[in-house]
Amino acid sequence: MSTPFPAQPRIAILGSGALGCYYGTRFAKAGEDVHFLVRSGRAAVMARGLRVKTPTERIQVKKAQVYGSPEEIGPCDLVLIALKATANDQLKKLLPPLLKPGTVVLTLQNGLGVEEPVAEVAGAENVLGAICFVGCIRTAPGTVNCSFPGLVLIGEFGRPAGDRTHAVAALFTRAGVKCEAQNNLEELRWRKLVWNVPFNGLAIAAGGITTDIIVADEGLRQLSRRLMEEIVDAAAKFGHVIPRSFVDIQFDRTAKMGRYRPSSLIDYEEGREVELEEIWGEPVRRAKTQGVPVPRLEMLYWLIKRLLAARRKPHQRD
Amino acid sequence: MSTPFPAQPRIAILGSGALGCYYGTRFAKAGEDVHFLVRSGRAAVMARGLRVKTPTERIQVKKAQVYGSPEEIGPCDLVLIALKATANDQLKKLLPPLLKPGTVVLTLQNGLGVEEPVAEVAGAENVLGAICFVGCIRTAPGTVNCSFPGLVLIGEFGRPAGDRTHAVAALFTRAGVKCEAQNNLEELRWRKLVWNVPFNGLAIAAGGITTDIIVADEGLRQLSRRLMEEIVDAAAKFGHVIPRSFVDIQFDRTAKMGRYRPSSLIDYEEGREVELEEIWGEPVRRAKTQGVPVPRLEMLYWLIKRLLAARRKPHQRD
């Protein structure tokens, strides 16, 4: 934290799925110095550039700086990790060429335990995490349809926000993304699980259903509430106090989303990796270390794990 | 219980699915006076008779006494209910024409709460229940493939076994079915749930899997055990002491069954009614009256209920 974060940072983006393309395109359009690692569909992205469609904008970056390996990119000031958490075993190979002293690594990944593998490679003191509330789908290489631009919350791994947290948040804001620096990243992650665990989970486990069906089904609605309460109870043991009113508002919020197809369900149905361990497995393991009973969460974890095992082999994605 | 059970009873069999045909064919072959209510496929059964194949026998009854309505059968000494429990709302119409003072009604149905609707029509004092451990599939009208002849346990509804219980059990024995009269029908029903709840349930909820997969999957195996323990705890509150060793042996027993497809999974996948309330719903409700927590059982109930609701409309079956 001694070196101040540069005003015009050199930025690398790892992963060219929906999130990597969405934020990366915005950064590039805002004139930032962005370098994309694109491993599949690179020729298409080089030829056609990057395209983002939102409900109010069409953004195009004709000439993106696209690379096939991190060595070609070289050291940066900021690395955004937009890979699926299920690909985190590749970080040992992908990250080092992008690092120099003080490089900030921001993971955009979902769930619990996603900062730890980054910290192992980049050093805990350099790790930030983002919680992205956003609705994005990659429709083709470099092409993203963003139905809900939402909000990004950024925090430090195991520390309150500092100057660089605000500097990184400002970068998002300048690129047209609503963004806030936050003091308690871990608590935010538990809060996001309050929604993700039941809605992403039951969407898969109850037969491939949208959130409106979960909200309307008497049993699943009650089950969602119990799952949320298990998360709240576990979070409390780690010092994160999530009020019961936060549970209540999830249902109204979700009802307003209509026939929403949670991202894990999309991944599941399209044969892509699902963040099983980060969303369901890790919360179970952490709750158990504190002796908090999470019978429904654990049951959901086991069911989804089995459903994933039975599915055709997921194809690789970067 | 005042009138002794006749030596050569007039028997009606309601329902011409696998169980009704299997036991009915054996009764007919043994020379009993059996009358079958067959509502779908009656012409085929009249033309071709009844056929049962077991691992060691082929049984054929060329001329079965087949009827289209209970009025044509008229009063009997013994009525076997081999309808799905989900059809029990029809008993008010189907049973009365078969009854006279002292008619014994034996339900072969699975799960909890299956005697009550029979008692409402026939009188509690006339009701018996059977637990059938048997593997049967109806392959065509009147035609049954029995892979596992198994065992029938017969008890009285709310009373210990008496003379007529033994008389009915003897009827099965004479027809070549291993059968025992038992004193505690309710406890037997809870014991059968120890297997049925997890194995029939997870076979459906974990994506349509056979029992060998449940036994081999670390998570599902542990989950099955937890579900069994919830059933054991609930049963205990009703005075039925099921030892933990009974839970242990379920896994060895099931492992020996190989790639077994539980009956509820077959019903589910073939679009037939599933005994949702009898196997999962009623145990949840009974446990709750005693304040026994059954979080996993309830979750399984809700998930299967939703999966059934999403399925194409089940076709009628008798």
Side-chain angles (χ1 to χ4, degrees), chain B residues 41-316:
Chain B
R42 188 162 63 256
V45 178
M46 289 179 106
R48 297 184 309 198
L50 299 161
R51 289 157 207 238
V52 163
K53 206 177 109 183
T54 78
T56 55
E57 296 165 283
R58 277 168 193 273
I59 308 167
Q60 199 174 347
V61 173
K62 285 194 178 156
K63 206 76 199 124
Q65 302 186 79
V66 173
Y67 306 81
S69 75
E71 287 79 7
E72 294 168 64
I73 301 178
C76 291
D77 301 300
L78 173 65
V79 179
L80 259 67
I81 300 185
L83 297 164
K84 265 289 173 61
T86 48
N88 278 351
D89 53 342
Q90 299 172 35
L91 290 179
K92 284 186 184 67
K93 236 181 52 198
L94 296 177
L95 262 187
L98 305 169
L99 302 179
K100 59 179 182 179
T103 298
V104 172
V105 185
L106 170 67
T107 175
L108 306 184
Q109 295 169 338
N110 245 327
L112 289 187
V114 297
E115 285 89 3
E116 286 79 350
V118 182
E120 268 180 47
V121 184
E125 69 283 6
N126 299 313
V127 179
L128 273 65
I131 319 259
C132 306
F133 299 90
V134 63
C136 274
I137 297 176
R138 181 174 71 165
T139 52
T143 306
V144 170
N145 192 348
C146 178
S147 57
F148 169 63
L151 167 74
V152 174
L153 302 178
I154 293 184
E156 299 266 337
F157 176 45
R159 294 170 303 271
D163 288 346
R164 71 174 176 190
T165 331
H166 290 280
V168 172
L171 204 65
F172 277 84
T173 306
R174 283 204 304 272
V177 179
K178 206 176 157 191
C179 184
E180 290 171 18
Q182 297 272 329
N183 279 322
N184 196 333
L185 176 61
E186 184 86 356
E187 178 170 319
L188 291 174
R189 294 216 171 274
W190 281 101
R191 279 179 178 251
K192 194 168 187 200
L193 287 179
V194 169
W195 195 90
N196 274 344
V197 160
F199 286 105
N200 278 270
L202 295 177
I204 295 176
I209 55 176
T210 44
T211 54
D212 54 323
I213 295 178
I214 298 173
V215 171
D217 182 297
E218 179 57 31
L220 295 188
R221 191 186 165 100
Q222 221 182 108
L223 174 55
S224 297
R225 176 172 289 276
R226 301 277 167 277
L227 284 162
M228 290 179 187
E229 288 166 354
E230 290 182 6
I231 295 288
V232 168
D233 290 345
K237 286 282 187 174
F238 291 95
H240 309 306
V241 181
I242 305 175
R244 295 280 153 165
S245 60
F246 184 74
V247 167
D248 298 331
I249 60 165
Q250 301 303 319
F251 292 97
D252 292 338
R253 256 191 53 202
T254 308
K256 289 194 190 101
M257 291 161 68
R259 290 173 52 85
Y260 184 76
R261 208 166 152 233
S263 61
S264 297
L265 175 63
I266 298 175
D267 289 337
Y268 172 70
E269 292 188 335
E270 297 190 357
R272 291 199 296 259
E273 297 274 1
V274 170
E275 292 141 327
L276 174 71
E277 298 305 330
E278 293 73 19
I279 299 181
W280 300 277
E282 189 63 18
V284 168
R285 290 186 287 272
R286 293 199 185 181
K288 289 197 160 188
T289 65
Q290 304 299 311
V292 181
V294 287
R296 298 168 190 85
L297 171 59
E298 188 173 52
M299 179 162 168
L300 190 55
Y301 169 58
W302 282 331
L303 286 174
I304 297 173
K305 190 170 184 176
R306 175 68 228 164
L307 290 169
L308 288 172
R311 208 180 48 159
R312 67 194 168 79
K313 193 91 189 135
H315 55 72
Q316 210 54 43

Side-chain angles (χ1 to χ4, degrees), chain A residues 11 22 42 47 107 109 119 123 141 143 149 168 172 177 180 252 268 290:
Chain A
I11 304 171
Y22 176 64
R42 186 161 66 256
T107 174
Q109 294 169 338
T143 306
V168 173
F172 278 85
V177 180
E180 289 170 19
D252 292 338
Y268 172 70
Q290 303 299 312

Side-chain angles (χ1 to χ4, degrees), chain A residues 1 101-106 122-128 156 159 164:
Chain A
M1 294 229 227
T103 298
V104 172
V105 185
L106 171 66
E125 69 283 6
N126 298 313
V127 179
L128 274 65
E156 299 266 338
R159 295 170 303 272
R164 71 172 177 192

Side-chain angles (χ1 to χ4, degrees), chain A residues 2-17:
Chain A
S2 42
T3 18
F5 193 73
Q8 182 76 36
R10 188 161 200 270
I11 304 171
I13 298 192
L14 289 192
S16 56

